[in-house]
Amino acid sequence: MRPFSPLSFRPPRVLRDSSLSTLTAGFVAMLTGYSSSLVLMVQAGQAAGLSTEQISSWIWALSIGMAICTLALSLRYRIPLVVVWSTSGAALLITSLPGVTYSDAIGAFMFCGLLLLLSGISSTVARLMRLLPASLAAALLAGILFRISSQILQAAQSQLGLVLIMFVSYLLAKRWAPRYAVLLALLCGTLIAWLNGMLDLPDVQWQLTLPEWTTPSFSLSAMISIGLPLYIVAMTSQNLPGLAILKSDGYEVDPAPILSLTGLMSVLLAPFGSHGLNLAAISAAVCTGHEAHADPAKRYTAALFCGALFGGIALFAGTLTVLFMALPEALVISIAALALLGSIVGGLTKAMESPGEREAALIAFMVTASGFTLFSIGSAFWGLIAGALTLFILPNTSKS
């Protein structure tokens, strides 16, 4: 037996692959995911007449599911696979939950999870992703992220000083310490917000969140009016764009195990309030881009940090919900926008690489970035359809 020597000790691969930039990316991804749609969850719960405990259990169920799926998938495939809830689905529930018993809604959530599970078992989604041209996937990525990042200009109208200081600090760090540009912008923004009295965090009592079980009941009308729309929104606004973002950043994945796991966890956690889990689009781009790590093979650690934070939030879901909602909106929007700039540049560059597909990619980008919605289906799906239709009618037009 060889004697132990500190010099011969090698830390686990995850620690070797981790860095401050991946930790920052994971934190920003978590912050973006929660702050952008947490208020929708609370609004949906209040509109349905749910108690504070039921809303906390809802957020707990989603958070613990996100943590398990993100950690399991990212560790298994060494790819930054971030799983979140559907923001569009939360918005849909604001209007669809009132008038439906909570037990019927839980049954509809389980129905949505079952449909996601069946989508994973089927090979249809995998075939569709193999057919998707890389230029359209990149255009879809750029369009989704451009729409989010452009909100920094709206934030500047109300908080010009905060946004400007964050932007300048990001540019300065980008020049001399590019891997830590987002972190420096976040620190500067937090400091300015604190000095200006914008971080007025409420006094809270830290206590563990206890999940509440609700026995599901199954109503055909609830499954059609809630479960089916939730599934459509999850696939078109989250899973397909999420897969496209991964493909655009060079990660070829088999969607079957991802959809199967998220579908299974959605079914298991539905009685505690989870309305469904799916791949992240915006949050994922924070972890898959160059800003997270220069080496694509090590960016999975950003997703691991994000997943670990999801798990921590699950423990104190009720308390942290109050704190997240108290953060200045301009601060959250600005840091998310700055973190996504690199991914937008990469997406636009890749979208325009092939001369014969540039027009189709441009149309896909424009439709996706517009925020166009039809039949309650978001712009990402219609951008994909518009780009594919253009490519079908005008193949290789730039070469002719």
Side-chain angles (χ1 to χ4, degrees):
M1 181 174 171
R2 295 174 60 186
F4 172 77
S5 170
L7 297 178
S8 63
F9 173 73
R10 293 193 69 196
R13 177 182 172 183
V14 170
L15 294 180
R16 298 198 307 271
D17 291 345
S18 301
S19 66
L20 183 58
S21 61
T22 57
L23 173 60
T24 302
F27 177 78
V28 172
M30 176 277 299
L31 186 64
T32 302
Y34 276 93
S35 58
S36 63
S37 60
L38 194 58
V39 65
L40 298 177
M41 303 285 299
V42 177
Q43 287 178 333
Q46 291 173 341
L50 302 185
S51 65
T52 302
E53 291 75 16
Q54 287 174 318
I55 295 176
S56 296
S57 177
W58 187 354
I59 297 172
W60 172 89
L62 290 168
S63 300
I64 201 69
M66 289 154 50
I68 293 172
C69 293
T70 299
L71 291 172
L73 291 170
S74 298
L75 275 175
R76 170 65 179 82
Y77 297 104
R78 305 289 175 174
I79 289 176
L81 293 167
V82 180
V83 172
V84 296
W85 69 63
S86 170
T87 301
S88 302
L92 183 149
L93 291 175
I94 295 176
T95 57
S96 60
L97 274 186
V100 178
T101 65
Y102 191 45
S103 61
D104 282 354
I106 293 297
F109 296 167
M110 294 186 73
F111 177 65
C112 173
L114 181 61
L115 292 177
L116 291 171
L117 177 59
L118 292 175
S119 297
I121 296 173
S122 168
S123 60
T124 302
V125 177
R127 288 198 299 267
L128 288 175
M129 289 310 301
R130 282 194 291 267
L131 293 174
L132 178 64
S135 60
L136 293 192
L140 198 68
L141 162 68
I144 294 170
L145 304 185
F146 176 82
R147 185 183 173 200
I148 300 299
S149 291
S150 63
Q151 292 180 7
I152 193 174
L153 301 177
Q154 300 173 11
Q157 291 181 337
S158 59
Q159 297 291 340
L160 179 60
L162 173 66
V163 174
L164 191 59
I165 289 175
M166 292 181 68
F167 180 61
V168 172
S169 63
Y170 171 83
L171 292 180
L172 292 175
K174 190 73 174 177
R175 179 172 181 179
W176 286 292
R179 290 181 61 183
Y180 309 111
V182 175
L183 176 61
L184 181 61
L186 175 61
L187 294 176
C188 289
T190 303
L191 177 61
I192 296 301
W194 178 69
L195 292 176
N196 285 276
M198 298 169 61
L199 285 176
D200 187 17
L201 300 179
D203 293 329
V204 294
Q205 293 183 346
W206 291 89
Q207 54 185 4
L208 292 174
T209 299
L210 299 177
E212 286 198 2
W213 172 276
T214 299
T215 302
S217 58
F218 297 94
S219 163
L220 181 60
S221 61
M223 287 190 287
I224 293 175
S225 63
I226 296 178
L228 188 59
L230 276 178
Y231 167 74
I232 294 173
V233 164
M235 290 300 297
T236 58
S237 299
Q238 296 282 164
N239 283 328
L240 289 179
L243 290 168
I245 285 173
L246 288 167
K247 183 172 183 176
S248 176
D249 281 324
Y251 298 103
E252 292 289 345
V253 298
D254 180 5
I258 299 171
L259 295 177
S260 298
L261 179 60
T262 54
L264 178 61
M265 291 302 299
S266 296
V267 173
L268 295 177
L269 292 170
F272 301 103
S274 170
H275 67 274
L277 301 167
N278 41 243
L279 270 176
I282 299 166
S283 299
V286 177
C287 298
T288 61
H290 187 271
E291 300 291 334
H293 201 289
D295 185 354
K298 297 181 178 180
R299 293 173 192 167
Y300 75 96
T301 58
L304 293 180
F305 283 124
C306 183
L309 290 170
F310 288 158
I313 290 171
L315 298 177
F316 303 96
T319 303
L320 289 171
T321 295
V322 177
L323 294 178
F324 272 113
M325 294 180 66
L327 291 175
E329 184 179 8
L331 173 65
V332 175
I333 290 175
S334 298
I335 196 60
L338 295 173
L340 295 171
L341 287 180
S343 295
I344 296 174
V345 171
L348 288 174
T349 301
K350 188 170 293 185
M352 297 298 155
E353 277 183 349
S354 176
E357 298 176 355
R358 284 174 182 165
E359 192 165 1
L362 177 62
I363 290 175
F365 168 79
M366 292 173 61
V367 174
T368 303
S370 70
F372 172 76
T373 301
L374 184 64
F375 305 126
S376 299
I377 298 177
S379 60
F381 176 78
W382 298 116
L384 182 61
I385 295 298
L389 182 63
T390 304
L391 196 61
F392 175 75
I393 297 176
L394 303 175
N396 299 323
T397 51
S398 298
K399 293 182 180 180
S400 58

